[in-house]
Amino acid sequence: MRNFAALLRRNRWLALALAAEAAVLLVLTAGLFGAPYRAAITPEGFENLFPSFAGLNGDDGSLRIYNDEGFESEQEITFSSAPMALASGAYEVTVEYFSCQTPDAPTFNILQSAGSLTFSSAQTPAAVQADPLTLDDGHRTLTTRLWISSGARMDDLQATLHYEGGQLYLYSITLVEQPVYRVTRLVCFALFFAVCDLLAWLFFGVAAAGRARRLPAVPLALLGITAAACLPLFSDQLYFGHDLNYHLQRIAAMAEELSYGQFPVRMATTTLNGYGYINPLCYCELFLLLPALLYNAWLPLRTCYQAYVLAATLTAAGTSYLCFARITGSRRYGVLGSALYTLSSYRLVCVWFRAALGEYTAMSFLPLVLLGVWQIYTCERPRFAQWAPLAFGMAALVQCHLISTELTAALLAVFCLLRLRQTLAPARLLAWGKAAALAFGLSAWFLLPFLSTVLSVDLQVNNPLVGKPQREGLYLIQLLNPFGTGFGGTSTGTSTDMSLTLGLPLLLGLALALLCLARRREAPRPRALGAVTGLGLLCLLLAMQFFPWDFVESWLGAAAAKAAATFQYPWRFLAPATLLFTAAALLALGLVRRERPQAARILTGAMAAAMVLSVGVFQMQLLTTTELTANSLSQNGTRDVGIGEYMIDGCSIYETVWAQPKPGSDALTLTGYEKRAGTAYLSVENAGDAADISVPIFNYGHYRAADETGAEFPLRSGENARLVLDIPAGYSGTIRIAWVSPLWWRGCEALSLLCALGCLARVLRRRHRVHAAP
């Protein structure tokens, strides 16, 4: 404390900054207390800007908007509420309305809408952030989120109805503050101040204290690499990527299921307009816990995704540094390898152009696999510390991207065959077995239920249609282009494709590796350099358009061909190729350094300069070819399931736009249907004989239906794979329909938990021994 007080006396600016930070945190702490703020916007508060559209208060007190005369205007028809004051914070907005675009024949279709609702401020527009609401015909109540920035004096918040035709009745708009956001805001400010203070201490505190101490170069370098890779995140919007909306939907759906108490999340009950989607069982969402929890802490969905990208990038920088520093025995080369890998062209394409969340997450853990394999083959008797990275890396791949897992497993099999004699050494073979067993144990909680599901449910991904990956292969001009073409699609040919290249730095590294392998054959070359370069070239060959994937499929037969073509796009092999060529470049640099140190320094500088140039060109392409989007997930966004691989075969996504039960008899009356906390409540009255009713929920299995007395109702599949219940004659009551995971799945979760705890105990015990050693 004495040193800290002396530091503050010597640095008045630092003292003032800390005092200002403390004042802000005290104000935010004081704001934690108090009842949540509530506000309401009544129909009477709206101004009718177009009287000819009969924007009148209905008999029930609602704002009724309709157009009986078929009036058409190029000008947007809007109705704005009176300005209102609102304190800063996060609000849940609930709108009660009735929309009918075709009054004579109501469709209850969520694709049809009579209008939408937005929020804005004329004085401080940047202080308002709100997810717009489409007032579709299929709902009667909708909710959205609204944020008022901290420190903003908001006294002119307006709600605006955008009328699109038909009839629209607005009953009420209520805004309720969410107290959890007060805590979230305090924590965010505290973390921001802590990071700023830490950086200030690192760069200025040492000199101010009069002590000569070296800065932690490696952590700062990794943070700099992460910052360079994440520069596009520093925006109030997101750059649009191919799969962005799909992954945002996954995050929002997982957050909602977590709020219902479902953990681990197995079924997205609210997706597809309440029909449910089995995505979490087939596409593991373990790593989405971070953005989902942040979303439940009421951070905007855009911010949650940005936090995930930052975490995945930092992980990639850290794991690649660990891998390459161990392989080369050099921290400097470890940092260079981390930069080459984290800032590689294909990884940046996956993050920004494709928004391929699963694949770029898998690339964060691929270095662990390479490190584990390298350590197993460089030790005569591999121990836990040597083979554990392979187990952790493969387990992580399983739980973020199964396609990357399949590609990696295939390359590992090829490597083992090429090094068969070494692989069959008893100690090394035992290490492989232990790594495989641990990876399976850590993944059992997801892997076994996944296998059970895909074998028991006829999913669209299981249908016999075989893709033709060869037409999506790369041309040599694409692969060798030093900078790529920027944003684009994934169609055949080259004119509309995105950047699919190794990038200038890795092309230079590959050239250096080939040169080192070709020159001075009389001198022994490292076997590791030949292995990583050869496997990398194999990946490039498999990614090329001229590789005969179509012929391979014809030789294998339908079933085997489908399994072989599950990777969809041959250019996915660029992910392992990027890792392998980074390792090859570093090993080649190490070889040159031993023979010609000065030349190695020049080559290292050339690679670093090429990397800076390559990243600069990529970000310029991002700025000029990719659109910014607010990426707030509307209620229709819950229908974004990509191409619907995990829908039941034969089902149509379009059918989910209508989410009402269908009685099978005129005597069977539907008196109520709603979904709360992931559970459907079906109220019926049957005045006739036994009849069935179709419920708008896909029958993925493991659903249970029971009423208040505990009596269970058998379930079966009906039209479009909807759940069908048989209602007895004369029955009247409410039936609860809920998805319940099988008990044996809990056993799988317990197995994975025990494996994780065992690994943690092993690591802690090893650290204790190291610190206890004299």
Side-chain angles (χ1 to χ4, degrees), residues 49-50 52-53 67 71-79 161-165:
L49 303 183
F50 287 84
S52 62
F53 275 72
N67 176 17
F71 177 78
E72 295 183 1
S73 172
E74 295 182 358
Q75 188 174 1
E76 184 180 23
I77 313 303
T78 60
F79 300 83
L161 275 172
H162 304 265
Y163 177 67
E164 298 172 2

Side-chain angles (χ1 to χ4, degrees), residues 17-18 20-22 24-25 28 188-198:
L18 292 178
E21 292 175 2
V24 172
L25 295 179
L28 293 176
C188 289
F189 270 95
L191 289 176
F192 175 74
F193 290 152
V195 171
C196 292
D197 294 342
L198 177 61

Side-chain angles (χ1 to χ4, degrees), residues 239-252:
Y239 286 95
F240 176 76
H242 300 163
D243 299 337
L244 181 59
N245 288 332
Y246 168 54
H247 292 300
L248 289 177
Q249 182 275 133
R250 292 177 65 204
I251 294 171

Side-chain angles (χ1 to χ4, degrees), residues 510-526 529-530 533 588 591:
L510 174 59
L512 178 61
L514 293 174
L515 183 63
C516 288
L517 289 172
R519 292 188 61 191
R520 294 178 59 187
R521 295 185 180 180
E522 67 277 4
R525 302 291 98 179
L529 177 59
T533 305
L591 186 63

Side-chain angles (χ1 to χ4, degrees), residues 474-482 484-485 494 500-501 544:
L474 298 181
Y475 293 86
L476 196 61
I477 191 173
Q478 290 178 283
L479 193 61
L480 298 182
N481 191 310
T485 56
T494 62
L500 292 170
T501 171
M544 299 299 291

Side-chain angles (χ1 to χ4, degrees), residues 4 240 351 558 651 732:
F4 180 69
F240 176 76
V351 175
C651 290
S732 177

Side-chain angles (χ1 to χ4, degrees), residues 23 44 206 210 298 362 429 469 527 744:
E44 292 80 4
V206 174
W298 275 76
L429 197 59
R527 295 189 67 183
W744 70 271

Side-chain angles (χ1 to χ4, degrees), residues 615-674:
V615 172
V617 170
F618 178 87
Q619 292 181 351
M620 180 188 69
Q621 292 173 337
L622 186 69
L623 288 171
T624 56
T625 62
T626 312
E627 294 182 356
L628 281 166
T629 173
N631 287 109
S632 55
L633 194 68
S634 67
Q635 69 276 11
N636 286 342
T638 62
R639 299 181 63 251
D640 195 328
V641 293
I643 60 176
E645 301 99 321
Y646 311 126
M647 289 189 63
I648 299 173
D649 196 22
C651 290
S652 169
I653 293 179
Y654 181 78
E655 292 294 330
T656 64
V657 302
W658 194 85
Q660 289 292 320
K662 297 180 180 180
S665 169
D666 293 339
L668 181 61
T669 304
L670 174 68
T671 59
Y673 179 75
E674 62 176 337

